[in-house]
Every structure is written in structure tokens, then in C-alpha cells.
């Protein structure tokens, strides 16, 4: 391994990140992968052929202050040794600057297998060859892997597309996925792998999830064996609560169970997680997944968030309430994607057609965010956090720039911040918060050797505000404070790891976090309290038996994928009982929530096989026309994991209600503009409809949610059960989602999903949650999130249905 590392370093001379990548990125290069030097390495640079052989170099710090300059002769030069930090290098006569980082050597400190700080590398996809990117180096996979090692990263998140590697049953081609697993493993970096996109041969009646659960089991087992010791964590699917899994929550739960069993069969030591959920607050979808017993098939709880830091406490409280509701508070909480939108759309041209890049000011905003985000999450009790993302990646028509690396795969400032976090706090435990004065945050850590370290910063818009355009970091927000019980000189480092000394009685905090070594006597004002709990004794459960349904046309999936409408008094479905064990299982299967027929009194399940039954079910619905289909079993004296599908008969519910037409809701005068673009409303006389049209400027998050204020008391929704209307859109594929938002008197907003309307009129029916008092609703918003710069949709025939 060491010889291989030396060869890689000797061969790897990479471009430094210029201020203008396209124009200036091919003149000065650095003898370090990704322009990330390890402390103690020779800081060697060279000029391309044709550049001046004599000149003068100028070195600046991250604040653009000149710290050194010298003449040189020849086609290259070596800088004097530098402390850790982030720097900009200029060569007289050559436009632009070349930035680089000097980071601590990770081999000189003890590793922590439970390291909190991690990163989503997604390198098998994002570092793959890209015809449109002329700046991508040929060996980008190796660069990403080595840059991760140099930062001290010990776990990354990777992607794998099932349809890529097993296009035909039993025929495997691991492509770049094995290469990247090897590159990372050789560097001592463990991987949290996620797979999705089932091949077509595994899907008989599902759009994305595998319907063949045995194929899913075998593939997960194969992955566990093939990547044993390299991918030490596996996630099943990605963001199943949104479009990655359009099937019902019970279908996802069944597929997760089969994957979990396959992973454990291949490697019992594996940590297995559900796919990272995308929506916060958590949707009812998540609740239904756990009603289906999925919590017994997971070792961690897995989330994604791009929320602003201000909202992190509410996000974590929502997650903990969810876990408590299902007796799963013992599960560690991981965020396997956590990224920033605070810097907004990229402001500069990248030199790649249709792709923009961060400005220097935006790069510094993200650098500020990384440290604040990770420390805040750690103090909220999260056990591991993966920043999104390491390689360059653009989305939203190329206007949103992600990545700690630029398009030439050299490091941005945020990379040096992450390396500093790992170096200073990777082997430390949170002790609590220190009150340092108004506008200042302070977090105390204890290292394994007993030494203490304080992280502090001045509160900025990133801590307290929502996303907003054109933020920058020019105002450092300097604030003075005295460290309690401390006088004299203290040693510290800034957010890029550059050392400094400070007088404990006269400290200065800026918006960028700093790290100071503290006296051991320092105590927190607000002690850190671990959120870990022990699991209560689980019931005796046979996890090897998994139920799955294939629903007939008698069922219609709710838009939230958390239940179904039923269209007949008696409904028909196929029930599959899968046995993921090597021995025959005998027992009984029961269906509750109504009357059923089609399942024998005694059931025999073959080893590694299934039994299938056609079931006729007559639901027993309550007074609000809701119910539940529940399937359970007892085999060999042990209970099985359940299958649960929430039901309702919306048509019967509407027929039992009092209908009130609301023609005033199609009058454009009554709707307040509420959009990130230029929104107009007009009445279409030909169709008796209200038409909303929005044009969005470049680089914004495209949303339109016009607002109607209810005229109370005559339009009160007290006692309302259903809101119905007809809708259609100019371009259904251009709509990412449609939502009905209910704004309550306490200003809380409830979001209800609506099926995206097509180009023909469609009836939309939304049932109000039973735990919401309709009398508390004061406003409604009905709108969309768009994929297009111009979009329109229409509504008509709005009615409210009230309990009689």
C-alpha cells in the first residue's frame, strides 16, 4: 500500500484552482493531489511549457493579505514551509490565482472508528468521466480518494446502481464501484454504500422497487460478501419518501426487510440502514413504514437535510418524537446527506457550457457553514454527519454548485475547514456549551488525553436566517469576550487550521469558528446530555418471514404513498409470504381490519421461497370512512413482522358530507402573490378556471404558492373533512410537486400532497387530517414547485365537504 501511495503522489501533479477556471487553470500546477498538501510535504509548483521561465510569485492568505513574495528562475519553484491553512498563489504576469491547502498529516494522530465527521463522496458517479468537463483530470477517482484521506476522513458515502452491475440475473460487472471501493479501502477509509434502481427483470408490477424480494435478498447478500471489510455500512435505497420509491410505504418496508436479511446473511457484522429520508418534518409515510415493522430491520435511523441551521433543533426534535412513538429511541441518528443552500445559486461562469460555479465569497460562505453545521448537529446528539458533497456537482440546470472540489478537482476552502474539524475534534467528546456573551456561540470539548478545546464563533445570518440571495462574509462580525477563568496566552487555530495566540482575557470571535486550547478547569454552562438510550427487550420475532402485497385496481395509492383509497366494498389483492431461511416454516396468517377469505388455516412456506394467496377483503371502516388492512403471522411460536396498509373510502366520505361550492376561490383578485418568480393570476372564461402563471429568474429555487385568506366566520373550515377541486397544468413533467398548504392561527403550516395534474382536467380530493381542527385554519396556499423557468396551472370547481 505504501509503495502504491508513493507512486500515486509522484505521478499526480494537479491543477490549482484558479479564479477563472476556463481561462487560467492550465498554467501553474501543484505537486499534490487536488492541491491539498500534507503538513511537512514540499510545497512544489511548476509552470506549463511556454510560460515564462523566470518571474515572481506572490503568496496570500485566505483574506487576500500578502504574506510573502519572491523571485524565481526556471519553470518551477518551491515555497517555504507554511503552517496549516488555505492560501492563494499568484505569479506575476499570469492572470488569476491558484489556491491550495496545507492540512495536518492524518497518519500522525490516532484514528477514531466512531468519528462523527464524514462526507458523501458519491465518487463512482460524480468523479466518472464527463465529456462536458474539460477540466476533469484523468484519474479523478484516485484524486477524490486521496484527497479524502488527506483530510482525515474515515468514512464516506458511496452510490451503486443495481441495474448497472447486474443487468441480467446472476451476471455481475462491478465497474467503477469496485475500483472506488478498493481505492478508498487501501487508504483506510470505510464506506457507507447505498444501492437503488432495481433492474427491470426484478420488477413485475412496481415502477422502481424490486417486486422479486428473493432477488433483492440475493443481491444484498452478494454485495455484503463482495465488498466485505470495505463497505461496512449499507443503506437500502435513497430518499424513499420522495420520488426514488413511488410505491406504497408497505412496499418499501417489505423490500427493506429482504435487503436487511440479505446483508446480514452475507456479513452479520454489517451496519444496515434504511434509505436516508429526504423530508423534514417527517411525513406520515415514515410513520407507515414503521407501522410495517421496518424498525426491526435497521441498525441506525438515516436522514438527509438541507434545512438552515436555525431549524436544526426542530428537525431533531421531530425525529426523536418519531422514534419515541415507535419505541426506537435506541437507534443512532445519522445524517448521510447534509448540505447548504445558504450561498444560493452559483454566481460565476465555470467555463463549462450550462454550468456555473461558486464565487470566492460563496466558497467562504460554505466554509463557514460546514463547521457551524457539523458542530451544531453533534451537540444535538447526531452520531455521524456526512457533508454533501466532496466532488464537483451541479444541478438545477447547472446553477446550483455543490462540492468541496472545483471542476478541476482541486480543493475549495471548505475542504480545509473539514480537515481542521477532524484534526481538532475528531478524538474529542462534547462537554457542553459555554456562555460567552451576546452574539457568540461557544462549545466545549474534552479530548481523550483530558485536554479541553473550545470552539467559538460570532453568530451570523447562517445561524439565524432563512436562505437569501447575495450573502457574503465581508463583515466578519467581530465581537469581544473574555474566556471565563482564563488569563494569559492561549494557543489556537482558525477555521483553516492556521495557528494563532490569544489573550484569554481579550478574545475576539468572528463569524468563522476558531479553536482554542483551554484550561482543564473550564466547565460548561449547559452540559451536553447524550441522547443514547438502551433498547427495551424486543418481543420474540421471526424476522425471516416477510409479507408483501400486489394490490388490484380496487385500490388507488394516496399521493403521499402512505395509504390507499378503496373503490369497492370488497377489495381483492394478492398476498405473498416470503421465507428467507433455509428451512421450511409452518404456521398461520391472520388478516385483521375487516373480513377476509382466501388464506388457508395452516400455511407452509418453502425454504428460500414464497407462498401466494388471492385474498378478498371487506374493510371495517370507522365513521370517517377510514380503516386498516393488517397482516400478521405466527410461525413456530414466533410472531412475524406485520404488513399494514391504511385505507379510506373517499367517495363514500364525500357522499356522506355536506358539499359547499367555493366559486370565490377562482377569482384572481382574492389570491395574494406568493412566489420566487413573477407570478400572475387570470380568469379563463372559456374554462371557468383560475390560471396561475409564473416566470422565474435565473438561479432561484422555483416555487409558486398563491395564498387565499379565508373570510371568517362564513368560510370557516370547522368540521370540514375534504377539499376537492379540478386541476390541469401546461407541462406536467415541469412540476416537481403540488401541495395544498393549510396555515393555522398559530402560524404553523400543514403541507398536504396533491397529485401533479396532467394536461387534461383531473379531480383532486384532499382529506384533512383528523387531528387538525379545521376552525384553526386561516389561510390556504395551493401551488407547485417547478422544474421549468416558466410554468402555469389551472384550478376550477373548488368545493369543501363538511361533516353533516
Amino acid at each position: 500500500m505504501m509503495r502504491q501511495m508513493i507512486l500515486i503522489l509522484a505521478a499526480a501533479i494537479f491543477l490549482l484552482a484558479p479564479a477563472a477556471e476556463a481561462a487560467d487553470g492550465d498554467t501553474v500546477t501543484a505537486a499534490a493531489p487536488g492541491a491539498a498538501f500534507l503538513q511537512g510535504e514540499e510545497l512544489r509548483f511548476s509552470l506549463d511549457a511556454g510560460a515564462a521561465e523566470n518571474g515572481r510569485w506572490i503568496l496570500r492568505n485566505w483574506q487576500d493579505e500578502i504574506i510573502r513574495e519572491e523571485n524565481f528562475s526556471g519553470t518551477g519553484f518551491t515555497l517555504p514551509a507554511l503552517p496549516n491553512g488555505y492560501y492563494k498563489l499568484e505569479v506575476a504576469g499570469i492572470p488569476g490565482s491558484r489556491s491550495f491547502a496545507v492540512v495536518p498529516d492524518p497518519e500522525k494522530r490516532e484514528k477514531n472508528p466512531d468519528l462523527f465527521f464524514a462526507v458523501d463522496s458519491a465518487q463512482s458517479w460524480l468523479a466518472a468521466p464527463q465529456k462536458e468537463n474539460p477540466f476533469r483530470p484523468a484519474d479523478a477517482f484516485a484524486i477524490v480518494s486521496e484527497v479524502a484521506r488527506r483530510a482525515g476522513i474515515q468514512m464516506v458515502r458511496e452510490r451503486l446502481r443495481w441495474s448497472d452491475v447486474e443487468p441480467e440475473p446472476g451476471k455481475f460487472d462491478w465497474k467503477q464501484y469496485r475500483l472506488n471501493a478498493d481505492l478508498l479501502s487501501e487508504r483506510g477509509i470505510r464506506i457507507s454504500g447505498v444501492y437503488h434502481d432495481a433492474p427491470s427483470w426484478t420488477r413485475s408490477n412496481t415502477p422502481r422497487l424490486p417486486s422479486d424480494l428473493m432477488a433483492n435478498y440475493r443481491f444484498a447478500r452478494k454485495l455484503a460478501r463482495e465488498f466485505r471489510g470495505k463497505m461496512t455500512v449499507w443503506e437500502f435505497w435513497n430518499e424513499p419518501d420522495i420520488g426514488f420509491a413511488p410505491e406504497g410505504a408497505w412496499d418499501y418496508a417489505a423490500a427493506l426487510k429482504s435487503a436487511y436479511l440479505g446483508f446480514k446473511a452475507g456479513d452479520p457484522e454489517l451496519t444496515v440502514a434504511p434509505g436516508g429520508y429526504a423530508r423534514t418534518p417527517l411525513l406520515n409515510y415514515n410513520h407507515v413504514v414503521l407501522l410495517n415493522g421496518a424498525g426491526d430491520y435497521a441498525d441506525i435511523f438515516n436522514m438527509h437535510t438541507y434545512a438552515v441551521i436555525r431549524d436544526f433543533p426542530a428537525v431533531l426534535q421531530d425525529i426523536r418524537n418519531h422514534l419515541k412513538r415507535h419505541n426506537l429511541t435506541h437507534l443512532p441518528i445519522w445524517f448521510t446527506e447534509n448540505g447548504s443552500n445558504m450561498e444560493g445559486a452559483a454566481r460565476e461562469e465555470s467555463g463549462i457550457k450550462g454550468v456555473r460555479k461558486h464565487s470566492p465569497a460563496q466558497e467562504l460562505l460554505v466554509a463557514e457553514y460546514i463547521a457551524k453545521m457539523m458542530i451544531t448537529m453533534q451537540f444535538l446528539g447526531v452520531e455521524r454527519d456526512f457533508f454533501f458533497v466532496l466532488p464537483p456537482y451541479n444541478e438545477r440546470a447547472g446553477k446550483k454548485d455543490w462540492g468541496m472540489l472545483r471542476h478541476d478537482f482541486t480543493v475549495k476552502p471548505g475542504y480545509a475547514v473539514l480537515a481542521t474539524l477532524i484534526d481538532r475534534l475528531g478524538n474529542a467528546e462534547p462537554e457542553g456549551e459555554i456562555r460567552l456573551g451576546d452574539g457568540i456561540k461557544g462549545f466545549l470539548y474534552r479530548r481523550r488525553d483530558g485536554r479541553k478545546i473550545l470552539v467559538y464563533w460570532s453568530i451570523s445570518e447562517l445561524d439565524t436566517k432563512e436562505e437569501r440571495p447575495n450573502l457574503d462574509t465581508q463583515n466578519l462580525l467581530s465581537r469581544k469576550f473574555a474566556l471565563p477563568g482564563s488569563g494569559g496566552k492561549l494557543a489556537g487555530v482558525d477555521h483553516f487550521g492556521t495557528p494563532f495566540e490569544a489573550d484569554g482575557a481579550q478574545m475576539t470571535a468572528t463569524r468563522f469558528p476558531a479553536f482554542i486550547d483551554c484550561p482543564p478547569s473550564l466547565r460548561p454552562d449547559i452540559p451536553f446530555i447524550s441522547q443514547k438510550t438502551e433498547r427495551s427487550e424486543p418481543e420474540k420475532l421471526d424476522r425471516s418471514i416477510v409479507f408483501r402485497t400486489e394490490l388490484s385496481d380496487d385500490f388507488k395509492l394516496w399521493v403521499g404513498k402512505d395509504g390507499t383509497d378503496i373503490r369497492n366494498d370488497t377489495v381483492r389483492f394478492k398476498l405473498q409470504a416470503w421465507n428467507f431461511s433455509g428451512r421450511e416454516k409452518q404456521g398461520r396468517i391472520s388478516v385483521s381490519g375487516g373480513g377476509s377469505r382466501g388464506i388457508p388455516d395452516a400455511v407452509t412456506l418453502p425454504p428460500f421461497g414464497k407462498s401466494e394467496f388471492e385474498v378478498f377483503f371487506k374493510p371495517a371502516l370507522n365513521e370517517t370512512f377510514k380503516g386498516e388492512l393488517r397482516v400478521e403471522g405466527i410461525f413456530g411460536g414466533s410472531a412475524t413482522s406485520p404488513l399494514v396498509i391504511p385505507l379510506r373510502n373517499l367517495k363514500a366520505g364525500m357522499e356522506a358530507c355536506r358539499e359547499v361550492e367555493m366559486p370565490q376561490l377562482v377569482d384572481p383578485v382574492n389570491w395574494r402573490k406568493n412566489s420566487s418568480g413573477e407570478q400572475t393570476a387570470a380568469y379563463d372564461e372559456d374554462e371557468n378556471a383560475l390560471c396561475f402563471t409564473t416566470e422565474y429568474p435565473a438561479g432561484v429555487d422555483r416555487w409558486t404558492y398563491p395564498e387565499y385568506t379565508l373570510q371568517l366566520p362564513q368560510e370557516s373550515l370547522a368540521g370540514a373533512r375534504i377539499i376537492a377541486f379540478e386541476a390541469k397544468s401546461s407541462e406536467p413533467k415541469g412540476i416537481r410537486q403540488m401541495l395544498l398548504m393549510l396555515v393555522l392561527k398559530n402560524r404553523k403550516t400543514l403541507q398536504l400532497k396533491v397529485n401533479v395534474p396532467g394536461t387534461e382536467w383531473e379531480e383532486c380530493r384532499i382529506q384533512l387530517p383528523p387531528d387538525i381542527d379545521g376552525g384553526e385554519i386561516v389561510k390556504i396556499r395551493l401551488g407547485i414547485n417547478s422544474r421549468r423557468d416558466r410554468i402555469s396551472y389551472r384550478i376550477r370547481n373548488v368545493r369543501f365537504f363538511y361533516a353533516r
Side-chain angles (χ1 to χ4, degrees), residues 379-404:
F379 269 78
L380 286 169
V382 175
E383 293 209 13
R384 183 161 289 163
D385 197 293
F386 295 71
F387 178 73
F388 183 88
V389 62
L390 182 56
Y393 173 54
N394 281 71
E395 62 178 2
R396 300 177 196 167
K399 297 166 187 173
K400 177 63 176 81
D401 190 14
W402 303 98
M404 287 185 174

Side-chain angles (χ1 to χ4, degrees), residues 88 563 595:
K88 298 179 181 179

Side-chain angles (χ1 to χ4, degrees), residues 579-740:
N579 177 12
F580 295 101
S581 76
R583 60 187 183 86
E584 183 179 271
K585 297 286 182 76
Q586 295 180 341
R588 298 186 62 184
I589 297 174
S590 62
V591 178
S592 59
S596 68
R597 57 185 173 86
I599 301 175
D601 291 337
V603 174
T604 299
L605 304 180
F608 291 111
K610 71 174 180 179
S611 294
E612 187 171 270
F613 314 96
E614 186 169 21
V615 181
F616 295 86
F617 178 66
K618 185 172 184 178
L621 304 180
N622 63 17
E623 67 278 2
T624 63
F625 301 93
K626 286 190 172 184
E628 178 182 272
L629 166 62
R630 186 178 187 89
V631 180
E632 296 173 290
I634 299 290
F635 285 80
S638 296
T640 67
S641 183
L643 181 146
V644 179
I645 304 177
L647 307 172
R648 71 183 177 200
N649 189 325
L650 195 55
K651 182 181 178 182
M654 293 173 68
E655 292 172 349
C657 286
R658 174 174 56 89
E659 179 179 343
V660 177
E661 293 186 358
M662 301 289 286
Q664 59 271 38
L665 265 73
V666 293
D667 186 343
V669 174
N670 295 329
W671 291 83
R672 182 182 71 85
K673 293 181 180 180
N674 184 36
S675 173
S676 63
E678 188 61 37
Q679 171 200 314
T680 60
Y683 184 71
D684 184 336
E685 293 187 1
D686 292 337
E687 300 197 85
N688 297 320
L690 174 61
C691 177
F692 293 108
T693 301
T694 308
E695 293 191 16
Y696 302 95
V700 302
D701 185 14
R702 295 176 290 242
W703 55 268
T704 297
Y705 284 94
E707 182 179 86
Y708 180 90
T709 300
L710 294 171
Q711 303 302 303
L712 301 175
Q714 60 270 29
E715 292 179 357
S716 172
L717 292 181
R721 289 184 174 174
I722 298 167
I723 298 176
F725 57 90
E726 293 178 82
K728 74 175 185 177
S729 59
S730 61
E731 191 180 359
K733 290 184 179 179
I735 297 178
R736 184 159 58 86
Q737 68 174 352
M738 189 174 201
L739 296 173
L740 174 67

Side-chain angles (χ1 to χ4, degrees), residues 363-673:
E363 290 184 347
L364 287 176
L365 278 166
V366 176
E368 176 188 352
Y369 172 85
I370 289 170
K372 290 182 172 182
M373 173 273 284
M374 286 199 154
I375 290 169
T376 302
M377 280 295 193
Q378 191 173 24
F379 269 78
L380 286 169
V382 175
E383 293 209 13
R384 183 161 289 163
D385 197 293
F386 295 71
F387 178 73
F388 183 88
V389 62
L390 182 56
Y393 173 54
N394 281 71
E395 62 178 2
R396 300 177 196 167
K399 297 166 187 173
K400 177 63 176 81
D401 190 14
W402 303 98
M404 287 185 174
L405 307 182
R406 299 188 180 93
H407 293 290
D408 62 359
F409 284 72
T410 59
V411 298
K412 295 180 182 179
Y415 172 85
V417 170
L418 181 62
T420 302
L421 282 168
I422 295 171
D423 180 61
R424 305 299 290 176
L425 304 179
N427 288 316
E429 295 291 335
E431 275 213 337
E433 292 189 48
I434 302 285
R435 294 192 179 99
L436 299 175
D438 292 342
I440 302 174
K441 287 278 191 179
F443 297 93
L444 187 64
Y445 286 79
R446 177 186 291 274
R447 298 183 184 224
R448 290 181 179 177
D449 60 8
R451 291 184 297 158
K452 294 191 178 182
I453 187 166
L454 176 70
V455 189
Y456 59 93
W457 65 76
S458 186
I459 294 172
S460 75
E461 306 96 326
L462 267 64
D463 298 271
T464 62
K465 302 294 184 182
E466 68 280 357
E467 298 167 19
R468 52 184 60 193
N470 302 318
L471 285 177
D472 61 43
T473 59
Q474 288 186 346
N475 185 351
L476 293 178
L477 303 172
S478 298
R479 295 182 172 106
K480 301 290 185 182
F481 71 95
L483 192 61
S486 177
K489 296 297 182 182
L490 297 173
V493 301
D494 69 10
H495 57 309
F496 292 137
T498 305
F500 68 86
E501 281 192 346
D503 185 339
Q506 297 179 343
M507 303 277 289
T508 300
T510 73
R511 65 188 302 142
F512 294 105
F515 307 76
I516 199 87
D517 292 326
C518 315
S521 58
L522 191 63
R523 296 288 184 270
D525 296 301
I526 307 172
F528 174 76
I529 300 175
S530 174
Q531 300 290 332
K532 292 181 180 179
T533 64
E534 294 295 327
R535 184 175 192 183
S536 58
E537 188 65 27
E539 65 174 323
K540 188 178 180 183
L541 187 70
D542 185 343
R543 290 194 290 189
S544 68
I545 296 174
V546 176
F547 297 119
R548 181 181 176 275
T549 58
E550 290 189 0
L551 301 179
S552 70
D553 291 341
D554 295 334
F555 299 82
K556 182 180 179 181
L557 186 67
W558 299 348
V559 65
K561 308 180 298 183
D562 52 344
T564 68
D565 278 321
I566 55 173
R567 298 177 174 180
N568 297 298
D569 291 338
T570 298
V571 293
R572 177 178 50 86
F573 65 92
K574 290 181 180 178
L575 176 66
Q576 299 170 348
W578 295 79
N579 177 12
F580 295 101
S581 76
R583 60 187 183 86
E584 183 179 271
K585 297 286 182 76
Q586 295 180 341
R588 298 186 62 184
I589 297 174
S590 62
V591 178
S592 59
S596 68
R597 57 185 173 86
I599 301 175
D601 291 337
V603 174
T604 299
L605 304 180
F608 291 111
K610 71 174 180 179
S611 294
E612 187 171 270
F613 314 96
E614 186 169 21
V615 181
F616 295 86
F617 178 66
K618 185 172 184 178
L621 304 180
N622 63 17
E623 67 278 2
T624 63
F625 301 93
K626 286 190 172 184
E628 178 182 272
L629 166 62
R630 186 178 187 89
V631 180
E632 296 173 290
I634 299 290
F635 285 80
S638 296
T640 67
S641 183
L643 181 146
V644 179
I645 304 177
L647 307 172
R648 71 183 177 200
N649 189 325
L650 195 55
K651 182 181 178 182
M654 293 173 68
E655 292 172 349
C657 286
R658 174 174 56 89
E659 179 179 343
V660 177
E661 293 186 358
M662 301 289 286
Q664 59 271 38
L665 265 73
V666 293
D667 186 343
V669 174
N670 295 329
W671 291 83
R672 182 182 71 85
K673 293 181 180 180

Side-chain angles (χ1 to χ4, degrees), residues 19-48:
E21 286 177 352
D24 308 321
D26 58 355
T27 305
V28 179
T29 59
F37 290 94
L38 292 178
Q39 182 58 243
E41 276 188 334
E42 185 179 55
L43 304 176
R44 183 163 50 87
F45 300 85
S46 61
L47 300 179
D48 285 358

